[in-house]
Coordinates of all heavy atoms in Angstrom, one line a residue:
M275 N -0.9 9.4 7.8 CA -0.5 8.5 6.7 C -1.8 8.2 5.9 O -2.8 7.7 6.4 CB 0.2 7.3 7.2 CG 0.5 6.3 6.1 SD 1.5 4.9 6.6 CE 1.1 4.6 8.2
S276 N -1.9 8.4 4.6 CA -3.0 8.0 3.7 C -3.0 6.5 3.6 O -1.9 5.9 3.5 CB -3.0 8.7 2.5 OG -1.8 8.2 1.6
A277 N -4.2 6.0 3.5 CA -4.4 4.7 3.1 C -4.3 4.4 1.8 O -5.3 4.0 1.2 CB -5.7 4.1 3.8
H278 N -3.0 4.5 1.1 CA -2.8 4.2 -0.3 C -1.5 3.6 -0.4 O -0.5 4.0 0.1 CB -2.9 5.7 -0.9 CG -2.7 5.6 -2.4 ND1 -3.7 5.3 -3.2 CD2 -1.6 5.8 -3.2 CE1 -3.1 5.3 -4.5 NE2 -1.9 5.6 -4.5
C279 N -1.5 2.5 -1.3 CA -0.3 1.8 -1.6 C 0.3 2.2 -2.8 O -0.2 2.6 -3.9 CB -0.7 0.3 -1.8 SG 0.8 -0.7 -2.3
Q280 N 1.8 2.6 -2.7 CA 2.5 3.1 -3.8 C 2.7 2.2 -4.9 O 2.7 2.5 -6.1 CB 3.9 3.6 -3.3 CG 3.8 4.7 -2.3 CD 5.2 5.2 -2.0 OE1 5.9 4.5 -1.1 NE2 5.7 6.3 -2.5
L281 N 2.8 0.8 -4.7 CA 2.9 -0.1 -5.8 C 1.8 -0.7 -6.4 O 1.7 -0.6 -7.6 CB 3.7 -1.3 -5.1 CG 4.1 -2.5 -6.0 CD1 5.1 -1.9 -7.1 CD2 4.8 -3.7 -5.3
T282 N 0.8 -1.1 -5.6 CA -0.4 -1.7 -6.2 C -1.6 -0.5 -6.4 O -2.6 -0.8 -7.2 CB -1.1 -2.8 -5.3 OG1 -1.4 -2.2 -4.1 CG2 0.0 -3.9 -5.2
G283 N -1.5 0.6 -5.7 CA -2.5 1.6 -5.9 C -3.8 1.3 -5.0 O -4.8 1.9 -5.1
A284 N -3.7 0.2 -4.1 CA -4.8 -0.2 -3.3 C -5.2 1.1 -2.4 O -4.4 1.8 -1.8 CB -4.4 -1.4 -2.4
Q285 N -6.5 1.3 -2.3 CA -7.0 2.4 -1.5 C -8.3 2.0 -0.8 O -8.7 0.9 -1.2 CB -7.2 3.7 -2.4 CG -8.1 3.4 -3.6 CD -7.9 4.7 -4.5 OE1 -7.2 5.6 -4.3 NE2 -8.7 4.7 -5.6
P286 N -8.7 2.8 0.1 CA -10.0 2.4 0.9 C -11.2 2.1 -0.1 O -11.3 2.8 -1.1 CB -10.3 3.5 1.8 CG -8.9 4.2 1.9 CD -8.3 4.0 0.6
G287 N -11.9 1.1 0.4 CA -13.3 0.8 -0.3 C -14.3 1.3 0.6 O -14.1 1.4 1.8
F288 N -15.4 1.6 0.2 CA -16.6 2.1 1.0 C -17.7 1.3 1.0 O -17.9 0.7 -0.2 CB -16.9 3.7 0.5 CG -15.9 4.5 0.9 CD1 -14.9 4.7 -0.1 CD2 -15.7 5.2 2.1 CE1 -13.8 5.7 0.2 CE2 -14.6 6.0 2.4 CZ -13.6 6.3 1.3
G289 N -18.5 1.2 2.0 CA -19.6 0.3 2.1 C -20.5 0.7 3.1 O -20.5 1.8 3.8
N290 N -21.2 -0.3 3.7 CA -22.1 -0.1 4.8 C -21.9 -1.1 5.9 O -21.6 -2.2 5.6 CB -23.6 -0.2 4.4 CG -24.0 1.0 3.5 OD1 -23.7 2.2 3.8 ND2 -24.5 0.7 2.3
T291 N -22.1 -0.8 7.1 CA -22.2 -1.7 8.2 C -23.7 -1.9 8.4 O -24.4 -0.9 8.4 CB -21.7 -1.1 9.5 OG1 -20.3 -0.8 9.3 CG2 -21.9 -1.9 10.7
I292 N -24.1 -3.2 8.4 CA -25.5 -3.5 8.5 C -25.8 -4.0 9.8 O -25.2 -5.1 10.2 CB -25.9 -4.4 7.3 CG1 -25.7 -3.7 6.1 CG2 -27.4 -4.7 7.6 CD1 -26.1 -4.6 4.8
S293 N -26.6 -3.4 10.7 CA -26.8 -3.9 12.0 C -27.8 -5.1 12.0 O -28.4 -5.4 11.0 CB -27.3 -2.8 12.9 OG -28.7 -2.4 12.5
H294 N -28.2 -5.6 13.2 CA -29.2 -6.7 13.3 C -30.5 -6.3 12.8 O -31.3 -7.0 12.2 CB -29.1 -7.1 14.8 CG -30.1 -8.3 15.0 ND1 -29.9 -9.7 14.5 CD2 -31.2 -8.3 15.7 CE1 -30.9 -10.4 14.9 NE2 -31.8 -9.6 15.5
S295 N -30.8 -5.0 13.2 CA -32.2 -4.5 12.6 C -32.2 -4.0 11.3 O -33.1 -3.4 10.8 CB -32.5 -3.4 13.6 OG -31.6 -2.2 13.4
H296 N -31.0 -4.2 10.5 CA -30.8 -3.9 9.1 C -30.7 -2.5 8.9 O -30.9 -2.0 7.8 CB -31.9 -4.6 8.3 CG -31.4 -5.2 7.0 ND1 -30.4 -6.2 7.0 CD2 -31.5 -4.8 5.7 CE1 -30.1 -6.4 5.7 NE2 -30.7 -5.6 4.9
R297 N -30.3 -1.7 9.8 CA -30.0 -0.2 9.5 C -28.6 -0.1 8.9 O -27.7 -0.9 9.4 CB -30.1 0.6 10.9 CG -31.5 0.7 11.4 CD -31.4 1.5 12.7 NE -31.0 2.8 12.4 CZ -31.7 4.1 12.5 NH1 -33.0 4.0 12.9 NH2 -31.1 5.1 12.3
R298 N -28.4 0.8 8.1 CA -27.1 0.9 7.4 C -26.5 2.1 7.7 O -27.0 3.3 7.8 CB -27.3 0.9 5.8 CG -27.9 -0.5 5.4 CD -28.1 -0.5 4.0 NE -28.4 -1.9 3.6 CZ -29.4 -2.5 2.8 NH1 -30.1 -1.5 2.3 NH2 -29.5 -3.7 2.6
T299 N -25.1 2.0 8.2 CA -24.4 3.3 8.4 C -23.1 3.1 7.6 O -22.6 1.9 7.2 CB -24.0 3.4 9.8 OG1 -23.3 2.1 10.3 CG2 -25.2 3.6 10.6
S300 N -22.5 4.2 7.1 CA -21.3 4.2 6.2 C -20.1 3.6 7.0 O -20.0 3.9 8.2 CB -21.0 5.6 5.7 OG -21.9 6.0 5.0
R301 N -19.2 3.0 6.3 CA -18.0 2.6 6.8 C -17.0 2.5 5.7 O -17.3 2.7 4.5 CB -18.0 1.2 7.5 CG -18.4 0.0 6.5 CD -18.0 -1.4 7.1 NE -16.6 -1.4 7.1 CZ -16.0 -2.4 7.6 NH1 -16.7 -3.5 8.1 NH2 -14.7 -2.6 7.6
R302 N -15.7 2.4 6.0 CA -14.6 2.2 5.0 C -13.8 1.0 5.3 O -13.5 0.7 6.4 CB -13.8 3.5 4.8 CG -12.9 3.9 5.9 CD -12.4 5.3 5.5 NE -10.9 5.3 5.4 CZ -10.1 6.2 4.9 NH1 -10.8 7.3 4.6 NH2 -8.9 6.0 4.8
F303 N -13.4 0.3 4.2 CA -12.6 -0.8 4.3 C -11.2 -0.5 3.9 O -10.9 -0.1 2.8 CB -13.0 -1.9 3.3 CG -14.5 -2.4 3.6 CD1 -15.5 -1.8 3.1 CD2 -14.6 -3.5 4.4 CE1 -16.7 -2.3 3.4 CE2 -15.9 -4.1 4.6 CZ -17.0 -3.4 4.1
D304 N -10.3 -0.2 4.9 CA -8.8 0.1 4.7 C -8.0 -1.0 4.3 O -8.1 -2.0 4.8 CB -8.4 0.9 5.8 CG -8.8 2.3 6.0 OD1 -9.3 3.0 5.0 OD2 -8.9 2.7 7.2
P305 N -7.1 -0.7 3.3 CA -6.0 -1.8 3.0 C -5.1 -1.9 4.1 O -4.9 -0.9 4.9 CB -5.5 -1.4 1.8 CG -5.7 0.1 1.7 CD -6.9 0.4 2.4
N306 N -4.4 -2.9 4.3 CA -3.4 -3.1 5.4 C -2.2 -2.4 4.9 O -1.3 -3.0 4.3 CB -3.1 -4.6 5.6 CG -2.1 -4.8 6.7 OD1 -1.8 -4.1 7.4 ND2 -1.9 -6.2 6.9
I307 N -2.0 -1.2 5.3 CA -0.9 -0.3 4.8 C 0.3 -0.3 5.8 O 0.0 -0.2 7.0 CB -1.4 1.2 4.5 CG1 -2.3 1.1 3.5 CG2 -0.2 2.0 4.3 CD1 -1.9 0.8 2.0
Q308 N 1.5 -0.6 5.3 CA 2.7 -0.5 6.3 C 3.7 0.4 5.6 O 3.8 0.4 4.4 CB 3.2 -1.9 6.4 CG 2.3 -3.0 6.7 CD 1.8 -2.9 8.1 OE1 2.4 -2.4 9.0 NE2 0.5 -3.2 8.3
R309 N 4.4 1.0 6.5 CA 5.7 1.7 6.0 C 6.8 0.8 6.1 O 7.2 0.4 7.2 CB 5.9 3.0 6.7 CG 4.9 4.2 6.2 CD 5.1 5.5 7.0 NE 6.4 6.1 6.9 CZ 6.8 6.9 6.0 NH1 6.0 7.1 4.9 NH2 8.1 7.4 6.0
K310 N 7.6 0.6 5.0 CA 8.8 -0.3 5.0 C 10.0 0.3 4.3 O 9.8 1.1 3.3 CB 8.4 -1.6 4.3 CG 9.3 -2.7 4.4 CD 8.7 -4.0 4.7 CE 9.4 -5.2 4.6 NZ 10.5 -5.2 5.6
R311 N 11.2 0.1 4.9 CA 12.4 0.7 4.4 C 13.1 -0.5 3.7 O 13.3 -1.5 4.2 CB 13.1 1.1 5.5 CG 14.4 2.0 5.2 CD 14.9 2.6 6.5 NE 16.2 3.0 6.4 CZ 17.2 2.7 7.2 NH1 16.9 2.1 8.4 NH2 18.4 3.0 7.0
Y312 N 13.5 -0.1 2.5 CA 14.3 -1.0 1.7 C 15.7 -0.4 1.2 O 15.7 0.9 1.0 CB 13.7 -1.4 0.3 CG 12.3 -2.3 0.5 CD1 11.1 -1.7 0.5 CD2 12.5 -3.7 0.7 CE1 10.0 -2.5 0.8 CE2 11.4 -4.4 0.8 CZ 10.3 -3.9 0.9 OH 9.1 -4.6 1.1
W313 N 16.7 -1.1 1.1 CA 18.0 -0.7 0.5 C 18.0 -0.8 -1.0 O 17.6 -1.8 -1.5 CB 19.1 -1.5 1.1 CG 20.5 -1.2 0.5 CD1 21.2 -2.0 -0.5 CD2 21.3 0.0 0.6 NE1 22.3 -1.4 -0.8 CE2 22.5 -0.1 -0.1 CE3 21.0 1.1 1.4 CZ2 23.3 0.9 -0.3 CZ3 22.0 2.2 1.4 CH2 23.2 1.9 0.5
L314 N 18.2 0.2 -1.6 CA 18.2 0.4 -3.2 C 19.5 0.4 -3.6 O 20.3 1.4 -3.6 CB 17.3 1.6 -3.5 CG 16.9 1.8 -5.0 CD1 16.0 0.5 -5.4 CD2 16.1 2.9 -5.2
P315 N 20.1 -0.6 -4.0 CA 21.6 -0.7 -4.3 C 22.0 0.1 -5.6 O 23.0 0.7 -5.5 CB 21.8 -2.3 -4.7 CG 20.7 -3.0 -4.3 CD 19.5 -2.0 -4.1
S316 N 21.1 0.2 -6.5 CA 21.5 1.0 -7.7 C 21.7 2.4 -7.5 O 22.5 3.1 -8.0 CB 20.4 0.9 -8.8 OG 19.2 1.4 -8.4
E317 N 21.0 3.0 -6.4 CA 21.1 4.4 -6.0 C 22.0 4.5 -4.7 O 22.3 5.7 -4.4 CB 19.7 5.0 -5.8 CG 19.0 5.0 -7.1 CD 17.6 5.7 -7.0 OE1 17.4 6.4 -6.1 OE2 16.8 5.5 -7.9
G318 N 22.4 3.5 -4.1 CA 23.3 3.5 -2.9 C 22.5 4.2 -1.7 O 23.2 4.9 -0.9
R319 N 21.2 3.9 -1.6 CA 20.5 4.6 -0.4 C 19.2 3.7 -0.1 O 18.9 2.8 -0.8 CB 20.0 6.0 -0.9 CG 18.9 6.0 -2.0 CD 18.4 7.4 -2.5 NE 17.4 7.3 -3.6 CZ 16.2 7.6 -3.2 NH1 15.8 8.1 -2.0 NH2 15.3 7.7 -4.3
H320 N 18.7 4.1 1.1 CA 17.5 3.5 1.5 C 16.3 4.3 1.0 O 16.3 5.5 0.8 CB 17.4 3.6 3.0 CG 18.2 2.5 3.7 ND1 19.5 2.8 4.2 CD2 18.1 1.2 4.0 CE1 20.0 1.7 4.7 NE2 19.2 0.8 4.5
V321 N 15.2 3.5 0.7 CA 14.0 4.2 0.3 C 13.0 3.7 1.3 O 12.8 2.6 1.7 CB 13.5 3.8 -1.2 CG1 14.5 4.5 -2.1 CG2 13.5 2.4 -1.4
R322 N 12.0 4.6 1.7 CA 10.9 4.3 2.6 C 9.6 4.3 1.7 O 9.2 5.3 1.1 CB 10.8 5.3 3.8 CG 9.8 4.7 4.8 CD 9.9 5.7 6.0 NE 11.1 5.7 6.6 CZ 11.5 4.9 7.6 NH1 10.6 3.8 7.9 NH2 12.6 5.0 8.2
L323 N 8.9 3.2 1.7 CA 7.7 3.0 0.9 C 6.5 2.7 1.7 O 6.6 2.0 2.8 CB 7.9 1.8 -0.1 CG 9.1 2.0 -1.2 CD1 9.1 0.7 -1.9 CD2 9.0 3.2 -2.0
T324 N 5.4 3.2 1.2 CA 4.0 2.9 1.9 C 3.5 1.9 1.0 O 3.0 2.2 -0.1 CB 3.2 4.2 1.9 OG1 4.0 5.2 2.7 CG2 2.0 4.0 2.7
L325 N 3.4 0.7 1.7 CA 2.9 -0.5 0.9 C 1.7 -1.4 1.5 O 1.8 -1.3 2.8 CB 4.1 -1.5 0.7 CG 5.3 -0.9 -0.1 CD1 6.4 -2.0 0.0 CD2 5.0 -0.6 -1.5
S326 N 1.1 -2.0 0.8 CA 0.0 -2.9 1.5 C 0.7 -4.2 1.7 O 1.9 -4.5 1.3 CB -1.2 -3.2 0.4 OG -0.6 -3.7 -0.8
A327 N 0.0 -4.9 2.6 CA 0.7 -6.3 2.9 C 0.9 -7.1 1.6 O 2.0 -7.9 1.5 CB 0.0 -7.0 3.9
R328 N 0.0 -7.1 0.7 CA 0.2 -7.8 -0.6 C 1.3 -7.3 -1.5 O 2.1 -8.1 -2.0 CB -1.2 -7.8 -1.3 CG -1.1 -8.7 -2.5 CD -2.4 -8.5 -3.4 NE -2.5 -7.1 -3.8 CZ -3.6 -6.7 -4.7 NH1 -4.5 -7.6 -4.9 NH2 -3.6 -5.5 -5.1
A329 N 1.6 -6.0 -1.4 CA 2.7 -5.5 -2.1 C 4.0 -5.8 -1.6 O 4.9 -5.9 -2.3 CB 2.5 -3.9 -2.2
I330 N 4.0 -5.9 -0.2 CA 5.2 -6.4 0.5 C 5.7 -7.7 -0.1 O 6.9 -8.0 -0.3 CB 5.2 -6.2 2.0 CG1 5.0 -4.9 2.5 CG2 6.3 -6.9 2.6 CD1 4.7 -4.6 3.9
K331 N 4.8 -8.6 -0.2 CA 5.0 -10.0 -0.6 C 5.4 -9.9 -2.1 O 6.3 -10.7 -2.7 CB 3.7 -10.8 -0.7 CG 3.4 -11.1 0.9 CD 2.1 -11.8 0.9 CE 1.6 -11.9 2.4 NZ 0.1 -12.3 2.6
T332 N 4.9 -8.9 -3.0 CA 5.1 -8.8 -4.4 C 6.7 -8.3 -4.5 O 7.4 -8.7 -5.3 CB 4.3 -7.8 -5.0 OG1 2.9 -8.2 -4.9 CG2 4.6 -7.5 -6.5
V333 N 7.0 -7.3 -3.6 CA 8.5 -6.8 -3.5 C 9.4 -8.0 -3.3 O 10.5 -8.1 -3.9 CB 8.7 -5.7 -2.6 CG1 10.1 -5.3 -2.4 CG2 7.9 -4.5 -3.0
D334 N 9.0 -8.9 -2.4 CA 9.8 -10.0 -2.0 C 10.0 -11.0 -3.2 O 11.0 -11.6 -3.3 CB 9.2 -10.8 -0.9 CG 9.3 -10.1 0.5 OD1 10.2 -9.1 0.5 OD2 8.7 -10.5 1.3
M335 N 9.0 -11.2 -4.1 CA 9.1 -12.0 -5.3 C 9.8 -11.4 -6.4 O 10.8 -11.8 -6.9 CB 7.5 -12.4 -5.8 CG 6.9 -13.4 -5.0 SD 5.5 -14.0 -5.9 CE 4.7 -12.5 -6.6
I336 N 9.5 -10.0 -6.8 CA 10.2 -9.4 -7.9 C 11.4 -8.6 -7.6 O 12.2 -8.4 -8.5 CB 9.1 -8.4 -8.7 CG1 8.8 -7.3 -7.9 CG2 7.9 -9.3 -9.1 CD1 7.9 -6.3 -8.5
G337 N 11.7 -8.4 -6.3 CA 12.8 -7.5 -6.0 C 12.6 -6.1 -6.0 O 11.6 -5.6 -6.6
I338 N 13.4 -5.3 -5.2 CA 13.1 -3.9 -5.0 C 13.3 -3.0 -6.2 O 12.7 -2.1 -6.4 CB 13.9 -3.4 -3.8 CG1 13.6 -2.0 -3.4 CG2 15.4 -3.4 -3.9 CD1 12.1 -1.8 -3.0
E339 N 14.4 -3.5 -7.1 CA 14.6 -2.7 -8.3 C 13.5 -2.7 -9.2 O 13.0 -1.6 -9.6 CB 15.8 -3.2 -8.8 CG 17.1 -3.2 -8.1 CD 17.7 -1.7 -8.0 OE1 17.3 -1.0 -8.7 OE2 18.6 -1.6 -7.1
A340 N 12.9 -3.9 -9.4 CA 11.7 -3.9 -10.3 C 10.6 -3.2 -9.7 O 9.7 -2.6 -10.4 CB 11.4 -5.4 -10.6
A341 N 10.3 -3.3 -8.4 CA 9.2 -2.7 -7.7 C 9.3 -1.1 -7.9 O 8.3 -0.5 -8.2 CB 9.1 -3.0 -6.2
V342 N 10.5 -0.6 -7.6 CA 10.7 0.8 -7.8 C 10.5 1.2 -9.3 O 9.9 2.3 -9.5 CB 12.2 1.3 -7.3 CG1 12.4 2.6 -7.7 CG2 12.1 1.1 -5.8
A343 N 10.9 0.4 -10.2 CA 10.6 0.8 -11.6 C 9.2 0.8 -11.9 O 8.7 1.7 -12.6 CB 11.2 -0.3 -12.5
R344 N 8.3 -0.1 -11.3 CA 7.0 -0.1 -11.5 C 6.3 1.1 -10.9 O 5.3 1.8 -11.4 CB 6.4 -1.3 -10.8 CG 6.3 -2.6 -11.7 CD 5.6 -3.7 -11.0 NE 5.8 -5.0 -11.5 CZ 5.3 -6.1 -11.3 NH1 4.4 -6.2 -10.3 NH2 5.7 -7.3 -11.8
I345 N 6.7 1.5 -9.6 CA 6.2 2.7 -8.8 C 6.4 3.9 -9.7 O 5.5 4.8 -10.0 CB 6.8 2.8 -7.4 CG1 6.3 1.7 -6.7 CG2 6.4 4.1 -7.0 CD1 7.0 1.7 -5.2
R346 N 7.7 4.0 -10.3 CA 8.1 5.2 -11.1 C 7.2 5.2 -12.5 O 6.9 6.2 -13.0 CB 9.6 5.2 -11.5 CG 10.2 5.6 -10.1 CD 11.7 5.7 -10.4 NE 12.5 6.2 -9.2 CZ 13.6 6.0 -8.9 NH1 14.3 5.0 -9.6 NH2 14.2 6.5 -7.8
A347 N 7.0 4.0 -13.0 CA 6.2 3.8 -14.2 C 4.8 4.3 -14.0 O 4.1 4.9 -15.0 CB 6.3 2.5 -14.7
R348 N 4.2 4.2 -12.8 CA 2.8 4.7 -12.4 C 2.8 6.2 -12.2 O 1.7 6.8 -11.9 CB 2.4 3.9 -11.2 CG 2.1 2.5 -11.4 CD 1.6 1.9 -10.2 NE 0.1 2.3 -10.0 CZ -0.4 2.8 -8.9 NH1 0.3 3.0 -7.9 NH2 -1.7 3.1 -8.9
G349 N 3.9 6.7 -12.2 CA 4.1 8.3 -11.9 C 4.4 8.6 -10.5 O 4.3 9.7 -10.1
G350 N 4.7 7.6 -9.8 CA 4.9 7.8 -8.2 C 6.5 8.3 -7.9 O 7.3 8.1 -8.8
K351 N 6.6 8.9 -6.9 CA 8.0 9.5 -6.5 C 8.5 8.5 -5.5 O 7.8 8.1 -4.6 CB 7.8 10.9 -6.0 CG 9.0 11.4 -5.6 CD 8.8 13.0 -5.1 CE 10.0 13.5 -4.6 NZ 10.0 14.0 -3.2
V352 N 9.7 8.2 -5.7 CA 10.5 7.3 -4.7 C 11.6 8.1 -4.1 O 12.4 8.7 -4.8 CB 10.9 6.0 -5.4 CG1 11.7 5.2 -4.4 CG2 9.8 5.4 -5.9

């Protein structure tokens, strides 16, 4: 599963781990990605979305219909 949120577009950030001796090695900061299944009443089916934890809270606020509309407006497939 790729570390990419369908709703917010959150994806990994890159940076460095800095040791005590101040040596730098590459690392990546992954968003908290979860796969969640929602019932989509307008289409009469379930949809499985790959969302960040923040996007799950957004879906709870705005509703699944509005969230799917936003995903489709971004060019995403649901």
Side-chain angles (χ1 to χ4, degrees):
M275 170 174 35
S276 69
H278 181 80
C279 176
Q280 289 179 291
L281 182 60
T282 63
Q285 55 192 3
F288 294 88
N290 293 309
T291 298
I292 302 179
S293 69
H294 180 70
S295 64
H296 218 65
R297 290 181 61 116
R298 294 180 169 133
T299 54
S300 295
R301 63 160 292 181
R302 67 187 246 172
F303 298 89
D304 286 329
N306 185 4
I307 298 293
Q308 310 291 325
R309 280 181 58 89
K310 192 136 168 65
R311 188 173 157 225
Y312 290 99
W313 173 252
L314 194 57
S316 64
E317 298 181 17
R319 67 184 182 105
H320 285 96
V321 291
R322 190 175 298 277
L323 301 175
T324 305
L325 301 172
S326 63
R328 186 180 66 176
I330 291 172
K331 294 172 191 171
T332 302
V333 170
D334 290 343
M335 280 194 317
I336 67 173
I338 185 62
E339 298 287 345
V342 167
R344 282 190 193 181
I345 292 170
R346 288 182 172 148
R348 291 183 76 232
K351 184 176 174 241
V352 177

